[in-house]
Amino acid sequence: MKHITIKDVAKKLNVSISTVSRAFNNKYDIKEETKEKILKTAKELGYKPNPIAKKLSQQRSFTIGIIVPEFSNNFFPEVMLGAQEVLLKEGCQALIMQSNHSWEVEKKNVETLVNNMVDGLIISLTSESKNNAYYNDLIKQNIPIVFFNRTVDQIKASKVLFDDYKWAMFATEHLIVQGYKNITHLEGDKNLTLTKNRLRGFTDAHKKYKLTVGKVVPCGFKMEDGERVAQEMIDKSEVPRAIFAANDSSAVGAISVFKKNGYSIPKDIAIVGFTESNLAKHTTPTLTSVEQPTNDIGQTAAKLLLEQINTKGLFVPQTIVLNGRLNIRDSSVKII
Amino acid sequence: MKHITIKDVAKKLNVSISTVSRAFNNKYDIKEETKEKILKTAKELGYKPNPIAKKLSQQRSFTIGIIVPEFSNNFFPEVMLGAQEVLLKEGCQALIMQSNHSWEVEKKNVETLVNNMVDGLIISLTSESKNNAYYNDLIKQNIPIVFFNRTVDQIKASKVLFDDYKWAMFATEHLIVQGYKNITHLEGDKNLTLTKNRLRGFTDAHKKYKLTVGKVVPCGFKMEDGERVAQEMIDKSEVPRAIFAANDSSAVGAISVFKKNGYSIPKDIAIVGFTESNLAKHTTPTLTSVEQPTNDIGQTAAKLLLEQINTKGLFVPQTIVLNGRLNIRDSSVKII
DNA sequence: TTGTAAGCGTTATCAC
DNA sequence: GTGATAACGCTTACAA
């Protein structure tokens, strides 16, 4: 497969390659007439600028890297879609990699992307990642990075966050005001800021209503985590009256184990999820959940990153917090 | 951010850049001693080969592009994981793009990847794609492509397929042998081979048992499609006794509408899905579904592609058909 | 075994 | 306005 190059176009028209290059990059003076002529024959010849050569020459790739822990949950795909919308408008391309919940893979992905000269990175950390120093180093090397949702406080970079505290509080409150006592929180992966914030929302909701804070059970974000924890609760005969789960996946996992063991939702156990997934509307009962503005998160992260890239250095890290919504469904309503 | 280059290493050691290059590419003669010396100081200096320059110079990228219609369903992420496993072993990297069910986006993705000098492509077509000519052109240009699952007959390339016919037949048979009559098939997106094959399996299962073939309703692969079709059935009072759905998503969509309208599954309507999703085990009732060997599909596609890349030209397109499994769950059992 | 130099397809800095 | 030409970082004949 032979690529047509700028040279072929130049030769065909008896102009220099620099003229052809100029025709494709509006920033230089060039006679309108020759420009059109070049553009026309370039199209005829099927010329496509080679981005690789452009990258090498410009030391800039017009590509940004996106690293997410997983694709399986539909949260991340939706965020990426949002990011791609704004990147596309700026002529940037997204290079997507998944770290598959492993810090090693995440680090390797970062290196691959940096070596491939991405202009910047949009990252949501794996649950495991503890290497803030690594990222702070990268940032010191002037590699633009924006983090979203899964991040840690110690990293000094722009961030797009969801107010997990506030919405965890709302979610818990929703259970409390309906009169549920003995509410247990299934805690997400530790050492993520969002996990701490959701926990804080959970406890503060109790405090607000002057209730003793419910139990907190380490769980995780996967269905299997929810299944495991629910099974443990049943085995220990410590099944709570209501649950505020780490996320929808763990909630769904827990629900299925509870139901299998004869518990009825919400009659025996009320349950609220987090991070509205496409599951929520289709489980039985339908799942109450906090909806995050996925598309908006992606768009905001991309905008922030592009801004940072274009202002080279003299920018201040920003943290933008976005709003959500509590979708109340059958899994949490009080049956009288 | 200043990258350390081959030059820096060469200067430091007073050797030529070609020697340094050779030290990193074992194929040339080079004194073991100098090689080690170079590798050592390269590491000290923090030298990382620049893949962009390598691509430009070698006209080969050691990157393969993967294009899928979507990430939302967990079928495609699992396939990609499988592909990445084998690619990684060969020192290849995967560049993933989603076409978001649009032929225009798919075409643009292909162009982006080709321009970025991917060594080959692994593609699952969007439902819309009708442009076989486009792909046949690409193949004529010697761009290695392997298609998986979603493909059309007219494209002359290697393919990794699932025997949709066989497993659709098994799925339908499973309903028939339990005594269900009046079985309706929710048909997937038209003009995909797999849709035709599933339909053929559906009809042939009926023929095998000398039954009149059930109704076929055009549906699609999304939850909304299932919801829409179920609602139409209810509105027209044409609710069947059993359903073989296009896939799990459409099955789940249909189930939720039926349940909302007072139908009981499987008592009133038995239902079987296709392409085991993480939903199947967690719906109520749990969903009978055909499980596809996702990881294996990815691995096989990647192997086929690498083989094709390495044998440049003198290879024959292969079609590999993989096997699956019917997971029988509550949604399809006969209640006596 | 090592060095020299041309080339990969662009962009960018000079002249003219 | 346009054309040479030197980068960008690497590979790879060909010489030495």
Side-chain angles (χ1 to χ4, degrees):
Chain A
M1 177 194 90
K2 180 77 188 87
H3 275 117
I4 309 284
T5 76
I6 213 172
K7 260 186 200 165
D8 301 315
V9 180
K11 198 175 290 173
K12 178 98 176 184
L13 286 164
N14 275 317
V15 295
S16 72
I17 57 162
S18 22
T19 309
V20 178
S21 173
R22 281 190 268 257
F24 280 92
N25 303 279
N26 302 355
K27 39 187 168 174
Y28 293 94
D29 286 342
I30 181 168
K31 214 196 316 185
E32 193 59 33
E33 196 188 321
T34 41
K35 180 174 162 182
E36 274 169 16
K37 199 173 58 182
I38 289 170
L39 258 32
K40 184 163 155 281
T41 51
K43 185 169 250 175
E44 281 171 15
L45 260 46
Y47 165 72
K48 290 267 160 49
N50 181 331
I52 306 247
K54 189 173 187 161
K55 282 176 206 178
L56 187 60
S57 156
Q58 292 197 143
Q59 299 287 83
R60 167 126 157 64
S61 68
F62 297 96
T63 301
I64 75 101
I66 303 183
I67 302 176
V68 297
E70 58 175 35
F71 296 142
S72 37
N73 185 317
N74 69 321
F75 174 78
F76 290 110
E78 284 173 14
V79 173
M80 288 174 342
L81 238 44
Q84 281 182 314
E85 277 174 34
V86 341
L87 290 173
L88 221 65
K89 273 184 209 147
E90 296 293 313
C92 276
Q93 203 197 318
L95 230 158
I96 297 158
M97 305 197 81
Q98 72 172 317
S99 46
N100 209 17
H101 295 283
S102 145
W103 157 246
E104 277 74 32
V105 177
E106 180 179 311
K107 188 173 170 184
K108 209 165 177 180
N109 287 343
V110 172
E111 280 173 5
T112 303
L113 291 169
V114 169
N115 288 338
N116 274 282
M117 295 184 168
V118 292
D119 298 335
L121 292 167
I122 295 178
I123 302 179
S124 194
L125 298 175
T126 74
S127 333
E128 295 175 39
S129 44
K130 294 141 198 159
N131 288 35
N132 312 334
Y134 177 76
Y135 284 110
N136 280 326
D137 258 20
L138 236 51
I139 292 159
K140 259 185 214 134
Q141 288 172 54
N142 279 321
I143 299 178
I145 312 185
V146 172
F147 293 87
F148 73 94
N149 282 56
R150 303 198 176 184
T151 176
V152 290
D153 295 334
Q154 291 76 18
I155 297 176
K156 305 278 171 247
S158 283
K159 294 167 189 170
V160 181
L161 300 177
F162 180 66
D163 194 340
D164 293 276
Y165 168 73
K166 182 165 110 184
W167 291 95
M169 184 141 166
F170 284 173
T172 313
E173 220 171 331
H174 161 66
L175 291 169
I176 292 174
V177 295
Q178 290 187 96
Y180 288 115
K181 313 268 188 258
N182 185 13
I183 306 169
T184 291
H185 175 41
L186 307 191
E187 195 186 10
D189 285 324
K190 309 260 190 184
N191 73 46
L192 285 181
T193 305
L194 66 85
T195 296
K196 288 176 201 143
N197 288 340
R198 290 181 196 171
L199 175 59
R200 211 157 43 82
F202 174 74
T203 55
D204 283 8
H206 282 83
K207 285 180 191 160
K208 182 172 168 188
Y209 290 88
K210 309 215 189 312
L211 295 172
T212 45
V213 177
K215 205 175 264 181
V216 175
V217 180
C219 175
F221 289 131
K222 296 186 204 158
M223 272 193 192
E224 300 89 80
D225 294 324
E227 290 170 356
R228 179 179 38 75
V229 167
Q231 193 58 59
E232 282 169 14
M233 287 174 165
I234 292 168
D235 293 346
K236 293 189 199 161
S237 307
E238 291 185 350
V239 176
R241 183 63 192 87
I243 289 177
F244 167 47
N247 65 350
D248 278 15
S249 294
S250 62
V252 169
I255 286 176
S256 77
V257 168
F258 284 133
K259 287 208 304 194
K260 208 172 287 166
N261 285 273
Y263 293 88
S264 164
I265 314 288
K267 206 167 138 279
D268 300 321
I269 311 161
I271 195 157
V272 175
F274 208 99
T275 308
E276 172 89 357
S277 70
N278 56 359
L279 296 173
K281 283 185 218 152
H282 295 279
T283 50
T284 310
T286 53
L287 181 65
T288 297
S289 186
V290 173
E291 182 179 345
Q292 295 200 45
T294 44
N295 197 280
D296 205 7
I297 291 173
Q299 292 207 16
T300 311
K303 277 178 201 156
L304 231 46
L305 186 65
L306 288 173
E307 203 183 309
Q308 181 172 345
I309 290 168
N310 294 329
T311 60
K312 304 199 173 196
L314 18 82
F315 93 106
V316 189
Q318 287 181 62
T319 296
I320 294 182
V321 178
L322 297 171
N323 248 317
R325 181 190 352 193
L326 179 65
N327 291 324
I328 297 173
R329 301 204 182 82
D330 298 340
S331 69
S332 65
V333 294
K334 186 78 176 185
I335 295 184
I336 312 160
Chain B
M1 178 194 89
K2 180 78 186 85
H3 276 118
I4 310 283
T5 75
I6 212 173
K7 258 187 202 166
D8 302 315
V9 181
K11 198 175 290 172
K12 178 98 175 184
L13 286 164
N14 273 319
V15 294
S16 72
I17 56 164
S18 30
T19 309
V20 178
S21 171
R22 283 190 267 257
F24 280 93
N25 302 278
N26 302 354
K27 40 186 168 173
Y28 292 94
D29 287 342
I30 180 168
K31 216 196 317 187
E32 194 58 33
E33 196 188 319
T34 41
K35 181 176 163 180
E36 274 169 16
K37 201 172 60 184
I38 289 170
L39 258 32
K40 186 164 153 280
T41 51
K43 184 170 251 176
E44 282 170 16
L45 260 46
Y47 165 73
K48 290 265 162 49
N50 180 330
I52 306 247
K54 190 172 188 161
K55 282 176 206 178
L56 188 58
S57 137
Q58 291 198 143
Q59 299 287 84
R60 168 127 156 64
S61 67
F62 297 94
T63 302
I64 73 102
I66 303 182
I67 302 176
V68 296
E70 58 175 34
F71 296 143
S72 38
N73 185 318
N74 68 323
F75 174 79
F76 290 109
E78 283 173 15
V79 172
M80 288 174 343
L81 238 43
Q84 281 182 314
E85 276 174 35
V86 341
L87 290 173
L88 220 66
K89 273 184 209 147
E90 296 293 315
C92 277
Q93 204 197 315
L95 231 157
I96 296 157
M97 305 196 82
Q98 71 172 318
S99 48
N100 209 16
H101 296 283
S102 144
W103 157 247
E104 277 73 32
V105 177
E106 180 179 311
K107 188 173 171 184
K108 210 165 177 180
N109 286 345
V110 172
E111 279 173 5
T112 304
L113 292 169
V114 169
N115 288 338
N116 274 282
M117 295 184 170
V118 291
D119 298 335
L121 292 167
I122 295 178
I123 302 180
S124 194
L125 299 175
T126 73
S127 332
E128 297 174 37
S129 45
K130 294 143 199 155
N131 289 35
N132 312 334
Y134 177 76
Y135 283 110
N136 280 325
D137 258 20
L138 237 50
I139 292 160
K140 261 186 214 133
Q141 287 171 53
N142 279 322
I143 300 178
I145 311 185
V146 172
F147 292 88
F148 72 94
N149 282 58
R150 302 197 177 185
T151 175
V152 290
D153 295 333
Q154 291 75 19
I155 297 176
K156 305 278 170 249
S158 283
K159 294 167 189 171
V160 181
L161 300 178
F162 181 65
D163 194 340
D164 292 275
Y165 168 72
K166 183 166 110 185
W167 291 96
M169 183 140 165
F170 284 173
T172 312
E173 220 171 331
H174 160 67
L175 290 170
I176 291 174
V177 296
Q178 290 187 95
Y180 287 115
K181 313 269 191 257
N182 185 11
I183 306 169
T184 291
H185 175 40
L186 306 191
E187 195 186 13
D189 285 325
K190 310 260 192 183
N191 73 45
L192 285 181
T193 304
L194 66 84
T195 295
K196 288 175 201 143
N197 289 340
R198 289 182 196 170
L199 175 58
R200 210 157 42 83
F202 174 75
T203 55
D204 282 8
H206 282 81
K207 286 180 190 161
K208 182 173 165 186
Y209 290 88
K210 309 212 187 318
L211 296 172
T212 45
V213 178
K215 206 175 262 181
V216 175
V217 180
C219 176
F221 290 130
K222 297 188 203 156
M223 273 195 194
E224 301 90 79
D225 294 325
E227 290 170 356
R228 177 177 40 77
V229 167
Q231 193 58 57
E232 283 168 13
M233 287 173 165
I234 294 168
D235 293 346
K236 294 188 200 161
S237 307
E238 292 183 349
V239 176
R241 183 61 191 89
I243 289 177
F244 167 47
N247 66 350
D248 278 15
S249 293
S250 60
V252 170
I255 287 176
S256 77
V257 168
F258 284 133
K259 287 207 304 195
K260 209 171 288 164
N261 285 271
Y263 292 89
S264 166
I265 316 286
K267 206 167 137 280
D268 300 321
I269 311 162
I271 195 157
V272 175
F274 208 99
T275 310
E276 171 89 356
S277 70
N278 57 0
L279 296 172
K281 284 185 218 152
H282 296 279
T283 49
T284 310
T286 52
L287 180 66
T288 297
S289 187
V290 173
E291 182 179 344
Q292 296 199 44
T294 43
N295 197 279
D296 205 8
I297 292 172
Q299 292 206 17
T300 310
K303 277 178 201 157
L304 231 46
L305 185 66
L306 289 172
E307 203 182 307
Q308 180 172 346
I309 290 169
N310 294 328
T311 60
K312 304 199 172 196
L314 19 83
F315 92 107
V316 189
Q318 285 181 63
T319 295
I320 295 182
V321 178
L322 297 170
N323 247 317
R325 181 189 352 191
L326 179 66
N327 291 324
I328 297 174
R329 300 205 182 83
D330 298 340
S331 69
S332 64
V333 293
K334 185 81 177 183
I335 294 184
I336 314 160

